[in-house]
Amino acid sequence: MPKDVKLEPLPEFLDQLFELWKGQPRADGKLLPDGRPATNADRSPSDLANYERALKDFALGVAQTEDLARAPTTLLALEEERVLDAVIEGATRRKGAPPSPHLGSSLRSWMRRMLTDLAPVLKHQSLRPLPGHRLWKPYRKTMERFAMARWPEGLKKEFDALEAAYADPFYVGPGREHLKRHRVRPITWQSYRRALNRVVEYSVTVEGLTEMTLLDLVDYDRALHVRAWYFKQRGRGGYSAFGMLCMASAALARYLEITGQLHSGHDPFSKAFTAPWMRFFDLARETHKDGHSRGKVDKLPELPPLPPSEMEALAQTLAKTPPRRVDGRPSLYQLHRRQQAATFYGMAPGVPLRIKNWCEMRWGHNLYQDGQGTWWVYFRPEELKNGTRGIEPREYLMKLPPVKGKWVDRWRDHLREVLGPDFEDVCPYVFPTRQKRFGPDDKPIWGRCAKDSFYRLIRDSCLEIKGHAYRPHAIRSDVSEHLIGRPGASMRSVMQAAALLGDTEQTVLKAYNKPNVQAMLDDDYFAELAADD
C-alpha cells in the first residue's frame, strides 16, 4: 500500500489549492524564453480563467457556492468520476440548463487536468474518499444491547405462553372471553418483548435477580427505578422507547388480570386511575411531558427527500460504483451488498414497503412472475404491520411496472453469479445475507437479512453517493408526498398513494398530507388583507 503524501500545511480551501496548482510546472514540459520550466501560472489569462471556471463549477455543484475561499479542500474527497459529474452539475446550476456537449467536455477536461497535476496532494489521508459507515456520525448516544438470551428461563417460558395464547384462535385457558376482547397482535407482542427487555436488563444487572416472572415486569415501583436508571444511561432522547415500555407493561398487566394472576381488584378493562394499566399509561404521559419541558426529547434529524426520479438515478449510480474502501479493494461480499442497495433504490418507488417486508420478502411467495413476465409483489394481511387491523383484513398486491421489474431481473442475474443457478433453493429470501455459520461443505450459509443490517446498508450507501444519509422508511413519505404534492393533485392521487403504501386513504391524508399553511395564507387570506389596505 503506498504511503500517504502529506503536505505542510495542507491547503484548507480550494482557492489555496488553485494557487498551489498555478505554482506547479506545466505537465506538457513547456519552457519559458529564458529556458526555465513554465508553470501553470504562465498560461494565458483565458486559459487560467477556464481552469478556475471548472473548479468554481465543482464547488457550486457540491457546496452550492462559487466562492473558492469558502469551499474546503476536503470536498475533493470523491472518486474522479463523481468530481467530474459535480462540475457538470455546478455548470447546470449556474446556467439554468445543462451545458452544451462541447462546453461540458471542456469543463471535464480542465478539471481532470488539475486532478492529475494535483495527484500527490489528493493522496493525503484527509482527502481520501471515506466509506459510508465512516461518514456516518451518530446524532445521539445509544445504549449497548442486552441480549434476550439472558432472560431467566422461567420468564421466557411464561412470555412464550402469553404469545401463544394471543396467537391461538381456539384458546380455551383462563380468561378466554376477556382475552378475545383484549386483542393484541403477535407482532405487537414481539415489539412489547423488545421494550420490556430494558426492565429485564435492570432487574438482572442492577438488582441481581436470577429468577423472574411476568409479575415482576408490572411492578410499578420497579418501573420508576427503571426510568431513573434508563435516562441516566441515555443522557438525551429515549422518551419514545420508554413510552413503548409503559405501553408494554400496561398490556401485560391487563393480560395478568384477565388470566387471574394479578388480583388488582379492577375489571380488566377499567379506566380507573388506580388500575395498574392506567398507572403505566399515566407514567408514559408524565415522562414524555417532563422530557419536553426540560428540552430532553430528541426527534430524528430531517433528511433531504428523495423523489422517485432521484431514487432511480441513485440506483443506477450505485449499480456501477463499487463501494469505497480505505484499505484495499472491496471484497466480493461488499460488492454484493452494493448491488443489494442499488436494487432497493431501484424497486422502492414502485413498492414503498416497510423495512420488515423488504427483509422478509421471499421468491415465489412475496415476489413472483406471472405468465406474461410481469413481476408482482404480494403480502398476506398477517405479514403486514396494519393488515389485520380494521373490520376486514387487507392484503398487499402490487404489479411492478417494467421500469421497476428490470431491477428484479438484474438482481436475479447477480444472484446467479453469487449463489449459483439454484439461488432460490440456496436461500428463499429475495435479499439474502451471508451468515457467520458454515455448512457441511464449508460454504457460508445464506439467510434472511437482519433489519438493522439492511438499515445501515441503505443509510450508508446514500451517504456515500449523495452526501447525506437516508432511512428506508422515508421512502413511504417521499413517494406519498410526491403524489399528493403534485400540482392538481386530487383524491385520485391519494388513492394511488394508499395503494402503494398498503394503507387506507384516511391514513394517507392524516400522515402524509402536509400542505404549506404559511404559503396558503400568504396567497389567500394575507393577500386579501393587503388588497384591503
Side-chain angles (χ1 to χ4, degrees), residues 145-162:
R145 290 187 176 183
F146 180 77
M148 290 187 184
R150 297 176 62 184
W151 280 37
E153 288 300 322
L155 181 61
K156 283 196 284 188
K157 290 179 180 178
E158 286 192 38
F159 213 101
D160 290 341
L162 175 155

Side-chain angles (χ1 to χ4, degrees), residues 265-282:
H266 291 275
D267 179 83
F269 301 98
S270 170
K271 294 186 178 180
F273 68 92
T274 55
W277 41 91
M278 296 304 298
R279 296 184 73 189
F280 282 113
F281 289 148
D282 289 340

Side-chain angles (χ1 to χ4, degrees), residues 166-229:
Y166 278 91
D168 185 3
F170 306 110
Y171 172 76
V172 292
R176 180 176 63 89
E177 293 300 326
H178 283 313
L179 207 63
K180 289 172 62 178
R181 180 181 171 189
H182 186 232
R183 298 179 61 185
V184 182
R185 299 175 301 158
I187 190 175
T188 304
W189 276 119
Q190 293 172 16
S191 299
Y192 285 168
R193 185 190 282 239
R194 289 192 293 270
L196 291 168
N197 195 39
R198 291 301 180 190
V199 182
V200 180
E201 179 183 4
Y202 174 83
S203 303
V204 171
T205 60
V206 179
E207 294 184 320
L209 299 183
T210 57
E211 297 294 333
M212 294 181 66
T213 67
L214 292 179
L215 287 170
D216 293 318
L217 298 181
V218 295
D219 186 323
Y220 187 78
D221 290 334
R222 176 175 284 113
L224 295 177
H225 287 290
V226 169
R227 178 176 66 169
W229 165 80

Side-chain angles (χ1 to χ4, degrees), residues 42-61:
D42 296 318
R43 295 175 181 270
S44 67
S46 61
D47 207 10
L48 285 174
N50 289 335
Y51 284 99
E52 188 176 19
R53 179 70 268 164
L55 195 58
K56 286 184 175 180
D57 281 344
F58 164 76
L60 187 60

